[in-house]
Amino acid sequence: MDRDTVISIYDRLIAGHPDLTRKGKATAYTAVNGNMFSFVGPDAEMCIRLAKDDIVAFGDHYSNAPVRRHGSVMNGYVAVADALLNDEAALADWFAKSVAFAKTLKPKPTMKKN
Protein backbone atom coordinates (compact mmCIF):
# COMPACT_ATOMS: atom_id res chain seq x y z
CA MET A 1 0.00 0.00 0.00
CA ASP A 2 1.42 3.44 -0.83
CA ARG A 3 2.35 5.92 1.87
CA ASP A 4 -0.34 8.48 0.98
CA THR A 5 -3.05 5.86 1.45
CA VAL A 6 -1.56 4.69 4.75
CA ILE A 7 -1.30 8.32 5.97
CA SER A 8 -4.97 8.86 5.06
CA ILE A 9 -5.95 5.82 7.11
CA TYR A 10 -3.71 7.03 9.95
CA ASP A 11 -5.31 10.47 9.90
CA ARG A 12 -8.79 8.90 10.14
CA LEU A 13 -7.65 6.85 13.15
CA ILE A 14 -6.27 9.95 14.85
CA ALA A 15 -9.46 11.91 14.10
CA GLY A 16 -11.33 9.42 16.30
CA HIS A 17 -9.30 10.71 19.26
CA PRO A 18 -9.70 14.52 19.47
CA ASP A 19 -6.95 14.81 22.09
CA LEU A 20 -4.32 13.50 19.64
CA THR A 21 -2.30 15.39 17.06
CA ARG A 22 -0.21 13.89 14.29
CA LYS A 23 3.37 15.09 14.43
CA GLY A 24 6.46 14.56 12.31
CA LYS A 25 7.22 14.83 8.61
CA ALA A 26 9.27 11.93 7.25
CA THR A 27 7.92 9.79 10.07
CA ALA A 28 4.38 10.72 11.07
CA TYR A 29 3.73 9.85 14.71
CA THR A 30 1.50 10.33 17.73
CA ALA A 31 2.56 10.67 21.34
CA VAL A 32 0.94 11.01 24.76
CA ASN A 33 2.83 12.60 27.65
CA GLY A 34 6.06 12.44 25.65
CA ASN A 35 5.68 8.73 24.80
CA MET A 36 5.42 7.93 21.11
CA PHE A 37 2.95 5.09 20.56
CA SER A 38 2.26 4.97 16.85
CA PHE A 39 3.95 5.98 13.64
CA VAL A 40 4.01 5.66 9.88
CA GLY A 41 7.55 5.51 8.55
CA PRO A 42 8.85 6.75 5.21
CA ASP A 43 8.46 3.16 3.97
CA ALA A 44 4.66 3.40 4.59
CA GLU A 45 4.75 0.87 7.42
CA MET A 46 2.33 1.73 10.23
CA CYS A 47 3.34 0.55 13.68
CA ILE A 48 1.53 0.76 17.00
CA ARG A 49 2.69 0.23 20.57
CA LEU A 50 0.71 -2.24 22.65
CA ALA A 51 0.71 -3.75 26.14
CA LYS A 52 2.33 -7.20 26.39
CA ASP A 53 -1.02 -9.02 26.61
CA ASP A 54 -2.31 -7.11 23.58
CA ILE A 55 0.82 -8.01 21.61
CA VAL A 56 0.09 -11.69 22.27
CA ALA A 57 -3.56 -11.23 21.20
CA PHE A 58 -2.45 -9.28 18.12
CA GLY A 59 -0.14 -12.17 17.22
CA ASP A 60 -3.12 -14.55 17.23
CA HIS A 61 -4.46 -12.74 14.16
CA TYR A 62 -1.52 -10.93 12.55
CA SER A 63 2.25 -11.15 12.42
CA ASN A 64 3.93 -9.61 15.42
CA ALA A 65 7.51 -9.91 14.26
CA PRO A 66 9.81 -7.37 15.93
CA VAL A 67 9.68 -3.85 14.51
CA ARG A 68 13.16 -2.63 13.58
CA ARG A 69 14.14 0.97 12.99
CA HIS A 70 17.65 2.36 12.63
CA GLY A 71 19.14 -1.06 13.41
CA SER A 72 17.32 -1.49 16.72
CA VAL A 73 14.28 -3.46 17.79
CA MET A 74 11.44 -1.24 19.00
CA ASN A 75 10.12 -3.19 21.97
CA GLY A 76 6.37 -3.12 22.40
CA TYR A 77 5.59 -2.20 18.79
CA VAL A 78 3.82 -4.28 16.16
CA ALA A 79 3.65 -3.59 12.45
CA VAL A 80 0.15 -3.24 11.05
CA ALA A 81 -0.38 -5.76 8.26
CA ASP A 82 -2.09 -4.76 5.00
CA ALA A 83 -5.01 -7.03 5.91
CA LEU A 84 -5.59 -4.93 9.03
CA LEU A 85 -5.09 -1.65 7.14
CA ASN A 86 -7.93 -2.78 4.88
CA ASP A 87 -10.22 -3.38 7.90
CA GLU A 88 -10.42 0.09 9.43
CA ALA A 89 -13.01 -0.92 12.04
CA ALA A 90 -10.70 -3.60 13.46
CA LEU A 91 -7.70 -1.29 13.12
CA ALA A 92 -9.56 1.41 15.06
CA ASP A 93 -10.00 -1.06 17.94
CA TRP A 94 -6.27 -1.87 17.99
CA PHE A 95 -5.39 1.81 17.74
CA ALA A 96 -7.69 2.57 20.69
CA LYS A 97 -5.85 -0.11 22.70
CA SER A 98 -2.59 1.57 21.75
CA VAL A 99 -3.89 4.97 22.90
CA ALA A 100 -5.14 3.49 26.18
CA PHE A 101 -1.78 1.81 26.79
CA ALA A 102 0.14 5.00 26.01
CA LYS A 103 -1.92 6.85 28.62
CA THR A 104 -0.70 4.39 31.29
CA LEU A 105 2.98 5.09 30.60
CA LYS A 106 5.01 7.33 32.87
CA PRO A 107 5.22 10.83 31.35
CA LYS A 108 8.54 11.68 29.72
CA PRO A 109 10.00 15.15 29.79
CA THR A 110 10.08 16.71 26.35
CA MET A 111 13.00 18.67 24.99
CA LYS A 112 12.00 22.19 24.02
CA LYS A 113 14.25 24.28 21.82
CA ASN A 114 15.03 27.68 23.31
Side-chain angles (χ1 to χ4, degrees):
M1 195 174 290
D2 68 86
R3 189 168 192 276
D4 289 339
T5 303
V6 175
I7 289 290
S8 293
I9 293 168
Y10 191 53
D11 285 341
R12 288 192 293 274
L13 291 170
I14 295 168
H17 301 269
D19 54 330
L20 298 179
T21 303
R22 177 168 59 101
K23 301 175 183 179
K25 293 180 183 176
T27 299
Y29 71 96
T30 55
V32 171
N33 295 325
N35 292 293
M36 183 176 77
F37 66 90
S38 72
F39 65 89
V40 176
D43 58 357
E45 182 178 53
M46 183 188 299
C47 299
I48 57 175
R49 189 174 184 182
L50 296 170
K52 289 179 183 179
D53 291 343
D54 288 333
I55 291 171
V56 172
F58 187 90
D60 290 344
H61 303 284
Y62 311 99
S63 170
N64 61 354
V67 172
R68 295 182 184 275
R69 287 288 186 263
H70 308 292
S72 298
V73 173
M74 295 186 71
N75 291 321
Y77 283 86
V78 296
V80 175
D82 283 349
L84 185 53
L85 285 172
N86 289 320
D87 184 353
E88 285 191 47
L91 179 54
D93 289 341
W94 286 109
F95 189 78
K97 289 178 185 194
S98 182
V99 172
F101 175 64
K103 289 180 178 180
T104 69
L105 298 172
K106 181 180 175 183
K108 289 172 94 176
T110 56
M111 302 289 284
K112 290 187 178 184
K113 294 181 182 178
N114 291 334

